[in-house]
Amino acid sequence: MDPPPEEPMDPPPAMQTPQEQPSDEPTDSNPSGDPMGDEEPPAAEMQPDENVDRPAYPMGPSDIAARRACALLDEQAQEIEVVELEGEAGQVLLTPQPQTAFTMTIPDSGFGYVTLEVPDWAITIAAFAYFEQTVTILDPDGVTEEVIPLSWNGACPDKGLTDQRTKYHSWGSFTVKVEGEPNTEMTLSFIKQN
Amino acid sequence: MHPRLLGLALALIVVMWTSVFLGCESNPDGVSNDSLIRLGRHLFYERRLSLNENRSCGICHEQAKGFTDGFVRAVGTEGHIHPRNTLTVINSGTRDSLSWLDPKPQQLSEQLLIPLLGEDPIEMGAKPIIESVLNDLNRDPAYLGILTDMGDDITLTLPLIAQAIEAFIQTIESRDAPYDRWVLGRGDLSASAERGAQLFFSTRTGCSECHGGIDFDEPAESRHGWFNTGLYDVGNGRYPMSREGLWELTGQTSDIGRYRVPTLRHLGLTAPYYHDGSGATLSDVLKNYNRGGRLTTSGPNEGDGKFNPYKDSRIQELGLTDRDLKDLEAFLLSLTDARDAQREEWSDPWPRAN
């Protein structure tokens, strides 16, 4: 594993934790109130800025899950349809899959839901998405623990893929909220950390 | 007292006395029931009976969750998602049908071999390893001690495993929830739950016509029933593919969406609900019944089950108020005995690090 970064991690712009929500309030630096700013091109055209100091990636370039997620970018993803109401999330079930990424269209509202079925206890699962699309694990019973906050995938730093890791102390079904630009494609993978 | 409540009270008394006598019965093979139950309890929580040692009966039927697993749909040892939500094993000794689908009478000792050995889907996945597991368990000092207590020259075999687990599961009986105590005059119910009980047994809702009997899983016409409750209509009355109910066995369109009436006991522990776990909360379930069928507004199963042509005719709009729905929910929750989540005699006997 790479040593801890000397400088504070510079997270991707859309970082969220399960407890945080994006602020829509206008600020001096973001007068439109849009958390992503006004003129962001679609995710597929974005590349990490070469001028931004690149911190050490918490899981390093050799991490197996991170490498698998990078490899999945070149493989056929499974198309799924998200639901728009949290209560309907049980209609769409996913399990952690090293062989399959999932692709979906973000609804008009800018968010949707699926259910992640976590098959074992005391495991850590990495969620990989593009950096302007967010993945939030809803945990009303408090059985998850954030292990790695939203960071860059260190195995393919030029792809704009993010990496966030959650430890599940109990197995079960967890509602996942996905957010991004409405009517854009989102690719997501969940891979169990070895 | 409402006539149906009187009937329930009498049924509870009969079942309680019957349980006292049956508990003293010896196993026909000369092995005491107590030792068979002890063996069964250890096997119920035995993870070596699964391919990856990450499943046991007691994991998918977790005590703290009313002997269900909390998944929307069950997940097997290899990560395959089962087509259906896990049923509770509480009070399964009185059931003739043990699954959501199969209408044929089932013996528990036969049915449990399906999740243990079945391959479509793989649940515990023990089929390729069962012989080696039996060898291991027969050499395990913990089992040697139990088997020695049972008698001379007793070794673990697949039939004995099934018999023992069945014996243990049959001890998981629970009919002492707050509602039961109230019926027998031994406890109180909240005013809301009392109103809910009146609604439940009324002709206005008709709930008890399908959810009747001592375990609230018995329709008026037969011990078990299979009904389409208007959960889906993804097109032409169809349910989601590979989860179409009794139709999967009969091929008859009138059987689309028909699933066995489940017990209403322990709902406070056994969320989520419905045959596929798609009912996240009890409140959602009650709203669907009040509406006369569920509206799915988005996703792959979008559609309105209210207009499903195969829906049971008794599923109609009920016109219940918000207070009525809360009262019904309070009543349903009074059928949960929260103490069952921790009863020592049903708990995992193995020492665990996690």
Side-chain angles (χ1 to χ4, degrees), chain A residues 109-140:
Chain A
S109 59
F111 58 85
Y113 300 90
V114 297
T115 294
L116 177 67
E117 302 237 281
V118 175
D120 289 299
W121 61 96
I123 61 170
T124 296
I125 295 174
F128 299 97
Y130 281 109
F131 65 89
E132 57 177 32
Q133 295 165 330
T134 62
V135 180
T136 308
I137 310 294
L138 304 182
D139 177 24

Side-chain angles (χ1 to χ4, degrees), chain A residues 84 88 91 117 119 121 173, chain B residues 55 72-73 297-298 301 354:
Chain A
E84 298 183 46
E88 293 178 349
Q91 306 285 344
E117 302 237 281
W121 61 96
S173 298
Chain B
R55 288 291 178 274
V72 171
R73 303 206 307 264
T297 63
S298 59
N301 303 318
N354 57 5

Side-chain angles (χ1 to χ4, degrees), chain B residues 34-49 56-58 137 140-147 149 156 161 164-165 168-169 345-352:
Chain B
D34 283 348
S35 57
L36 192 65
I37 290 167
R38 181 170 169 238
L39 175 63
R41 181 179 168 198
H42 282 77
L43 290 166
F44 186 85
Y45 289 100
E46 178 56 74
R47 295 178 191 174
R48 286 172 287 183
L49 285 172
S56 65
C57 306
L137 299 188
D140 186 321
Y143 284 106
L144 286 173
I146 297 172
L147 294 170
D149 288 344
L156 272 177
I161 286 176
I165 294 177
F168 170 67
I169 290 176
E345 62 269 33
W346 299 337
S347 65
D348 186 348
W350 298 104
R352 303 280 183 198

Side-chain angles (χ1 to χ4, degrees), chain A residues 81-85 87-88 90-95 97 115 117-122 170-173, chain B residues 47 54-55 59 62 65 69-73 75 79 81 232 278 294-301 354:
Chain A
E81 186 177 351
V82 302
V83 299
E84 298 183 46
L85 294 180
E88 293 178 349
Q91 306 285 344
V92 185
L93 304 185
L94 311 179
T95 53
Q97 298 276 351
T115 294
E117 302 237 281
V118 175
D120 289 299
W121 61 96
S170 176
W171 63 81
S173 298
Chain B
R47 295 178 191 174
N54 63 350
R55 288 291 178 274
I59 283 181
E62 184 185 347
K65 295 179 178 136
D69 55 17
F71 281 110
V72 171
R73 303 206 307 264
V75 181
I81 300 178
Y232 292 103
S278 60
R294 180 170 67 182
L295 173 65
T296 303
T297 63
S298 59
N301 303 318
N354 57 5

Side-chain angles (χ1 to χ4, degrees), chain B residues 9-278:
Chain B
L10 289 172
L12 280 168
I13 292 169
V14 168
V15 168
M16 284 164 60
W17 278 106
T18 304
S19 298
V20 168
F21 286 112
L22 284 178
C24 303
E25 184 182 342
S26 290
N27 178 278
D29 293 328
V31 173
S32 78
N33 215 38
D34 283 348
S35 57
L36 192 65
I37 290 167
R38 181 170 169 238
L39 175 63
R41 181 179 168 198
H42 282 77
L43 290 166
F44 186 85
Y45 289 100
E46 178 56 74
R47 295 178 191 174
R48 286 172 287 183
L49 285 172
S50 69
L51 184 63
N52 298 305
E53 297 193 15
N54 63 350
R55 288 291 178 274
S56 65
C57 306
I59 283 181
C60 295
H61 296 283
E62 184 185 347
Q63 182 181 12
K65 295 179 178 136
F67 292 94
T68 61
D69 55 17
F71 281 110
V72 171
R73 303 206 307 264
V75 181
T77 185
E78 298 267 82
H80 297 118
I81 300 178
H82 196 281
R84 288 175 287 280
N85 178 262
T86 299
L87 284 162
T88 181
V89 298
I90 300 177
N91 298 332
S92 54
T94 61
R95 292 186 199 121
D96 298 328
S97 172
L98 298 167
S99 68
W100 282 108
L101 277 191
D102 199 337
K104 295 194 302 297
Q106 295 168 295
Q107 180 77 24
L108 188 51
S109 57
E110 293 170 0
Q111 191 279 335
L112 63 86
L113 295 177
I114 297 173
L116 180 64
L117 304 173
E119 295 176 309
D120 183 27
I122 293 175
E123 297 180 65
M124 292 173 69
K127 188 172 179 184
I129 61 167
I130 192 64
E131 290 303 322
S132 67
V133 169
L134 284 171
N135 286 336
D136 289 344
L137 299 188
N138 275 313
R139 288 198 297 266
D140 186 321
Y143 284 106
L144 286 173
I146 297 172
L147 294 170
T148 301
D149 288 344
M150 289 172 70
D152 296 331
D153 300 322
I154 294 182
T155 58
L156 272 177
T157 60
L158 192 55
L160 180 57
I161 286 176
Q163 203 176 6
I165 294 177
E166 177 186 57
F168 170 67
I169 290 176
Q170 286 178 335
T171 69
I172 305 176
E173 276 202 342
S174 175
R175 297 182 182 94
D176 195 29
Y179 175 74
D180 300 304
R181 295 197 289 277
W182 176 73
V183 165
L184 293 173
R186 289 169 21 209
D188 296 321
L189 270 192
S190 68
S192 180
E194 281 198 44
R195 290 193 301 268
Q198 293 292 331
L199 275 171
F200 185 87
F201 288 107
S202 71
T203 53
R204 182 181 167 200
T205 63
C207 301
S208 59
E209 286 184 38
C210 296
H211 289 283
I214 194 169
D215 288 333
F216 302 89
D217 65 349
E218 186 170 340
E221 55 266 33
S222 57
R223 174 60 186 97
H224 293 293
W226 286 258
F227 304 113
N228 177 325
T229 56
L231 285 183
Y232 292 103
D233 187 349
V234 299
N236 299 317
R238 300 299 292 268
Y239 268 44
M241 193 168 63
S242 305
R243 301 194 297 279
E244 300 217 53
L246 212 47
W247 175 85
E248 295 173 41
L249 301 179
T250 68
Q252 296 183 28
T253 52
S254 57
D255 285 335
I256 288 176
R258 293 180 65 195
Y259 286 91
R260 181 172 65 79
V261 178
T263 181
L264 298 183
R265 289 187 177 276
H266 295 88
L267 296 179
L269 299 173
T270 60
Y273 308 106
Y274 293 135
H275 64 279
D276 61 356
S278 60

